[in-house]
Amino acid sequence: MVLGTTSGAGKSWLTTALCRYYSNLGLRVAPFKAQNMSNNARVVEGIDGAWGEIGSAQYFQALAARAVPEVRMNPLLLKPEADTRSQVVMLGQVSAELTALPWRGRSQLVWPQIAAALDALRAENDVVVIEGAGSPAETNLHASDIVNMRVARHAGARCLLVTDIDRGGAFAHLYGTWALLPEDERALIHGFVLNKFRGDASLLAPAPQHLQERTGVPTVATIPMQWHHGLPEEDGVFDDRTLTPGAVHTTVAVVAYPRISNLDEFQPLKNVPGLRLQWVRSPADVAGLRPSDWIVLPGSKATAADLAWLRAQGLDQSITAHAGQGGTVLGVCGGLQMLGEALIDPEGIDGNGPGLGLLPLVTVFEPAKTVQRTSAAFGQLTGAWAPLSGVAACGYEIHHGQTAQHPAMAAKGDVAREVMPGIAWQNPAGNVLGVYLHGLFEDAAVLQALFGAQAPTLDTVFDGLADGVARHFDPGVLDALIA
């Protein structure tokens, strides 16, 4: 099990690397995270043939493990809808009953299903690599814990505790986390890991030795900072320092509104030569974009609220001005809904509001949630999106909104071109495209059509991660963890 001293310490990254490392040994491997809180989700195999949602991190960990991603790998997913409210997804399906319960009241109800999912994966695999959440030393949550030490105790897991040394205070984080755990839980910690190290590793001495003298736990790895590991980010936008060097021919400006979702699907764009991926939050961020540059409205867990935020920043005017001069605009899922004329919410699912008016469409939010894998081919497109004509694309859909042509506007002759039935629409000028299909840029055929280039495959990324942990862990440690 991989635990962390904080969020962002490197748990997801290390879990993914270990999944591929153990898979490369010829073992049957599965990832597991009891509870994930993220608006980055993927559609995977569910129970009784239904599609379901899990956190993106566990999806990629499953691929790293060469396993088929499925809902038992992340039985509980919390999708934040506001600062104090999350939609609860249990074994892939939205649960209104669990969503209505307070945090602490929920844990005893969900634990039996979490334990059953973990037990089943353990029975079916040689190795299960478990990821914790946040920090196991959050003592206010210890009594209702269902994701950290309760899981470790249930599985008798051998745990690694990872910390981000680049932030400073790493040894205090490691010691403090260990010290706050009860004695029986401390015994499960088999090694400390220093992540994101920059500099001369010899300067760390004598701190690792002092830490081991106080805790009995060795520091088993010092992993260097990696700006270009190629794994999609789970929780935050990408750091500008990760930009690929070289001449830039196209800037892709992705609007980073507060409830942005599925941002990880843009990771492949970072690996396309000559492309600059930029996250924008103000009109100043998009000033100077050329018509050939893109503005992307990504998915959102709260479309109406994020659209209101976009207007408050003045970005609505920047986007419509860019489109008005022929600039390329793409909306994905919630972004597609924003591009239309109106959001209509008769059931109180998301919120009502006027759209940006760049596509003559209207979206109605419905209680039933569309969750499915989708494969379809684009029809004939024009303008900037013409290279996608006839291209077959694979991806996934996760949305409450149902979008259609605005009838009154159609009567006046203002009709959006439906270039993928029920999934994608284009404006007559050809520069604005809206799609419900997530994962477009993870499709090699789409990247080839749009940019004449291919990003490194995920298998290449996973093997690179596995090679890295093999180099940076002390000899024999990784094998001893599963002995």
Side-chain angles (χ1 to χ4, degrees), residues 324-343:
Q325 63 177 0
T328 306
V329 176
L330 173 67
V332 180
C333 198
L336 154 68
Q337 296 166 355
M338 294 181 190
L339 291 175
E341 287 293 324
L343 307 174

Side-chain angles (χ1 to χ4, degrees), residues 33-55:
K33 184 168 185 174
Q35 175 181 278
N36 200 347
M37 178 177 281
S38 178
N39 275 332
N40 296 326
R42 296 297 169 117
V43 177
V44 301
E45 291 186 3
I47 307 298
D48 298 328
W51 294 110
E53 296 179 69
I54 64 171

Side-chain angles (χ1 to χ4, degrees), residues 278-333:
Q278 175 185 353
W279 299 92
V280 299
R281 297 181 177 88
S282 72
D285 292 336
V286 299
L289 289 181
R290 301 163 300 173
S292 58
D293 295 325
W294 297 16
I295 292 180
V296 178
L297 299 177
S300 167
K301 192 64 184 70
T303 304
D306 277 346
L307 183 54
W309 173 90
L310 188 147
R311 285 196 166 96
Q313 311 310 307
L315 275 165
D316 57 330
Q317 299 176 41
S318 299
I319 295 165
T320 55
H322 182 71
Q325 63 177 0
T328 306
V329 176
L330 173 67
V332 180
C333 198

Side-chain angles (χ1 to χ4, degrees), residues 417-456:
R417 301 181 65 248
E418 193 171 18
V419 294
M420 190 179 281
I423 298 174
W425 295 263
Q426 184 182 31
N427 68 336
N431 61 312
V432 179
L433 177 67
V435 300
Y436 266 123
L437 196 63
H438 287 288
L440 272 180
F441 304 116
E442 294 168 350
D443 190 300
V446 170
L447 286 181
Q448 184 66 41
L450 288 172
F451 308 111
Q454 291 187 347

Side-chain angles (χ1 to χ4, degrees), residues 57-103:
Q58 283 64 63
Y59 171 83
F60 288 111
Q61 288 160 6
L63 297 184
R66 298 185 175 94
V68 177
E70 45 124 327
V71 295
R72 293 181 302 173
M73 295 169 177
N74 176 208
L76 190 63
L77 175 63
L78 309 180
K79 305 187 77 173
E81 296 177 315
D83 289 340
T84 58
R85 184 181 70 253
S86 293
Q87 182 184 70
V88 178
V89 179
M90 186 73 210
L91 289 172
Q93 303 301 313
V94 175
S95 171
E97 294 78 13
L98 291 175
T99 298
L101 289 176
W103 183 288

Side-chain angles (χ1 to χ4, degrees), residues 338-355:
M338 294 181 190
L339 291 175
E341 287 293 324
L343 307 174
I344 300 175
D345 186 16
E347 304 290 339
I349 304 299
D350 190 289
N352 298 291

Side-chain angles (χ1 to χ4, degrees), residues 30 43 117 136 145 165-166 204 261 301 343 355 369 409:
V43 177
D145 172 41
I165 195 171
D166 191 55
L204 293 171
S261 67
K301 192 64 184 70
L343 307 174
K369 191 177 189 180
M409 299 183 73

